[in-house]
Structure formats: C-alpha cells, structure tokens
Amino acid sequence: MLDADLGRLEDLPKEYLDELTQQNLVPLWPSLRGVLPPTKPKPLTRPTSWSYESIRPLLLKAGELTPIEKAERRVLVLANPGHGLQKMQASSAIYLGMQLLLPGEWAPSHRHTPNAVRMIVEGEGAYTTVEGEKCLMSRGDLILTPTGLWHEHGHDGHDPVIWLDVLDLPLVYYMEASYHVNGGRQEVHPGEGDQRHSGACVLPTPFFTRSQSAYPVLRYPWVDVKKALIKLSEDPSLVESVMITYINPSNGQDAENILGFYALMLRPGQTLRLPARSPACVFHVIEGEGVQLSFDEHVFDLKCADTACVPGYGATLLKNHSATTPVFLFMADESPLHRKLGLYENWG
Ligand code: 1HN
C-alpha cells in the first residue's frame, strides 16, 4: 500500500475525534507510517560533532560561575540537536557530558540506576572512588561506574581535570527507571589499585577473575589499551580494523550491560569504513593529529579530544590524513542493548 493511501486525522469528523479523546483513544492509521517508517528507521539522532577547543573555555568558565557545591557534577552536556537540546541526549540511549573538577574539589558520593563510564581527557591528580576502590584518573583511562555502585570524585592535583561522561541515562529515563541515592564519603579499601584495576582486561583471560563482584574491573588504564592496540596493529593478518572491546573479564562480555565501549587505532594514512549497523555510535579522539569522519553528507574534521555522534543504519568513514602518526579513538555504542533486544542489524 502506498503511504498516501492511509486515512489522515483531518479526514475524520471533529466530533468523532473529540469523543475518542474523551475516552483516551487514538486512531492508529494516521500515525502508522510515523511509528513504522518504510524500509528503514528515521533516527532523530543527527550526525553531530563537538570541538574540545570550544567546550574547554566554557567549562572552565562554569568553574568560575558555579561552585561544585551548587552543581554536584559540573558538566556541560553534549546534546544532539536532532533530539532537542533540552532532552540532553546524544542519541536515543546515549548521554554525553564533559565534566570539570578543580583542584581540591569533591563531587559527593551517590549511586544511581543509569550505568556510567568516564574517559579522562585532561589533567592529573583526580580520582573516582567506586565502591571503596580509588581509581586514579589519567588521560585516556576508562573508569566504570555501573548501575547501583557508589561513586564520588576527588582531586588532589594542581590543574583542572576534565573527562567525558558516557551514560545510558536517556534509555533508563525513558523506562521510568532513573533515580539516585546520595551517600556519605566512602571509606577507601586498603590495597588501593590491587583489586579492580587491571591493564590486561581488554581480552578475556581466566587469570583475572579474582573478584566475586559482577564488575571485577573498574579502571582500564590507557597505557595498557594503547599497548594492546599497537600490538594488534603489528599483526599482518588484521589488515582492516585495529580495534578492542572493553570487556568484563569475569564473563568475556561487554564491560557494561547497555552501552558498548571500544578503542580503535587508525594507522597513518588509513581509511576505514564502518558498516551500517542499527546502533548509534560515539567517537572521541584520545590521541593523534586528527581524523575525518563522514556520515551521509556530513563531514567532520575531529582534532584531539573532539567528540562526535552518528545515528544507526548508515555507514561511517574514518580517515587518518596523517602520513606519520596513528590516531586513537574511543568509541561508545548501543550494541549490547540492540543485541539483548534482538534488534541488532548489520547492513554492511
Ligand atoms: C553522574 O552521576 C555523573 O557521577 C556524571 O560523575 C554525569 C549525568 C546524569 C546523571 C548522573 C558522575 C551524570 C551523572
């Protein structure tokens, strides 16, 4: 049937529509094509990029304008205009924010239902304490704060620390399952760094199942992830994508339940086409001169620490124009969610 063949709201008598409204009833046929578009979805998520150079001074200004006590979390949200800025969504399931912590500041302990990770962008000396484990923050490190775990941030260093927060907040909020609980300062466990920090957990290894916790690893140091990528890049059988998945070493599955996290290396001069898959995807440049990202007619030149977001159901082209330096990207996507819901598709 052609799209034009379905009856419209305007085709119905006003009295009839009023009667439906009074009974909390709605006719499906005028909205059927909207909720079930032909051939492929029509994502609200718009290919969008955010320049770190532009965010940074505004974030530092927020540090002057708003004390941490008045913010709890001092964040500028990377909002996708396709969803409307007030929705604070990068995609249907992904929230992104750049957070600033100044020397001596403390972002108090709380726990909440959305899962979070942070990718450290700039500065030394800050830490996140997760369930009593003090996770030091260094550039490129990934720190998990999965659903329900207590977390707080502190800063013993001398310069501002900035990180990228990635949460599944839009999805959890949509499910009417989003809430938080505030707590007191956590006691840090002795043997800091021994238990739930690990460098080798980008690949499953049975030796690392030391903790009974559902999340045995909370910190994935960049030095180790970078080493793993460089080692992969030296394997001539891996001609195309040099990519790792951040996994939970206790089960070899994704590090968190809803969003997936990855690191990708583009060799000098490399162009990589990522297939059209159903989940939306976020890219953040950890290291390198820069990368060109193309999606449909959108072309973004991403420099170090820049972030971009693309919807699902379209291919992404990544180009490292540098002839001498590799580029390293952090990626986050909705794959675990799509797989669990049986919605995951790869259209090639
Ligand atoms: C949150 O708990 C943090 O703990 C950051 O640093 C951003 C955005 C929405 C809801 C909770 C944090 C957040 C957040």
Side-chain angles (χ1 to χ4, degrees):
M1 190 185 269
L2 294 173
D3 289 1
D5 291 345
L6 293 181
R8 303 166 303 171
L9 265 190
E10 308 88 271
D11 301 335
L12 296 167
K14 186 174 179 312
E15 308 78 64
Y16 175 72
L17 286 173
D18 288 346
E19 207 174 321
L20 291 183
T21 305
Q22 266 186 5
Q23 305 292 333
N24 295 324
L25 295 169
V26 176
L28 172 62
W29 57 99
S31 305
L32 186 57
R33 298 293 185 236
V35 294
L36 214 57
T39 321
K40 64 180 263 188
K42 289 201 170 86
L44 290 176
T45 303
R46 206 179 289 166
T48 308
S49 75
W50 296 268
S51 131
Y52 186 64
E53 212 171 53
S54 309
I55 297 172
R56 191 176 184 279
L58 295 169
L59 198 48
L60 292 174
K61 187 79 184 168
E64 294 168 22
L65 295 172
T66 306
I68 192 71
E69 296 75 18
K70 286 284 177 194
E72 281 187 21
R73 301 296 192 261
R74 193 191 288 109
V75 177
L76 292 179
V77 178
L78 281 52
N80 192 306
H83 288 272
L85 300 185
Q86 293 310 315
K87 288 280 187 68
M88 301 198 297
Q89 293 181 225
S91 74
S92 60
I94 304 175
Y95 158 104
L96 297 174
M98 280 284 178
Q99 181 163 172
L100 168 71
L101 200 64
L102 294 169
E105 286 186 336
W106 182 62
S109 193
H110 69 185
R111 50 193 245 167
H112 43 67
T113 44
N115 296 274
V117 300
R118 32 218 112 249
M119 164 56 51
I120 318 309
V121 180
E122 175 180 334
E124 294 289 332
Y127 58 89
T128 299
T129 305
V130 189
E131 293 281 308
E133 296 286 336
K134 189 171 176 179
C135 301
L136 300 182
M137 295 170 142
S138 270
R139 203 173 64 81
D141 291 353
L142 186 76
I143 295 174
L144 307 191
T145 53
T147 180
L149 302 197
W150 291 107
H151 57 282
E152 64 193 82
H153 313 299
H155 189 350
D156 298 332
H158 304 289
D159 299 305
V161 167
I162 298 176
W163 63 81
L164 175 70
D165 288 312
V166 186
L167 284 83
D168 48 25
L169 177 66
L171 175 78
V172 178
Y173 181 77
Y174 176 73
M175 293 173 69
E176 303 186 343
S178 182
Y179 73 97
H180 84 282
V181 179
N182 285 330
R185 202 178 267 258
Q186 297 170 65
E187 242 177 71
V188 175
H189 298 164
E192 174 202 319
D194 282 355
Q195 287 295 309
R196 292 166 83 171
H197 309 217
S198 178
C201 290
V202 291
L203 291 171
T205 42
F207 304 114
F208 279 86
T209 50
R210 284 176 297 189
S211 162
Q212 292 305 306
S213 160
Y215 298 98
V217 172
L218 297 170
R219 175 170 178 253
Y220 300 75
W222 173 237
V223 281
D224 300 306
V225 176
K226 184 176 176 180
K227 232 183 271 171
L229 286 169
I230 289 172
K231 201 165 162 51
L232 277 177
S233 76
E234 288 161 358
D235 184 338
S237 67
L238 288 164
V239 277
E240 269 243 274
S241 53
V242 181
M243 186 168 166
I244 62 94
T245 301
Y246 292 88
I247 59 150
N248 179 335
S250 69
N251 56 16
Q253 302 294 307
D254 292 284
E256 287 187 346
N257 284 328
I258 294 176
L259 302 181
F261 307 102
Y262 320 87
L264 173 72
M265 173 180 162
L266 292 172
R267 298 178 173 101
Q270 186 179 0
T271 295
L272 183 66
R273 182 185 177 278
L274 302 177
R277 306 172 320 141
S278 50
C281 189
V282 166
F283 301 87
H284 171 82
V285 184
I286 301 177
E287 257 187 65
E289 285 174 25
V291 62
Q292 187 179 76
L293 184 159
S294 315
F295 186 99
D296 292 341
E297 74 281 12
H298 302 264
V299 181
F300 305 123
D301 284 305
L302 304 177
K303 299 192 296 298
C304 195
D306 289 353
T307 306
C309 173
V310 299
Y313 304 95
T316 301
L317 204 65
L318 298 168
K319 283 185 195 171
N320 178 7
H321 285 307
S322 169
T324 51
T325 352
V327 65
F328 295 93
L329 299 175
F330 168 63
M331 292 163 57
D333 76 3
E334 302 163 335
S335 294
L337 173 67
H338 279 231
R339 288 206 168 88
K340 281 169 182 142
L341 297 179
L343 295 173
Y344 184 87
E345 288 188 80
N346 185 336
W347 287 359

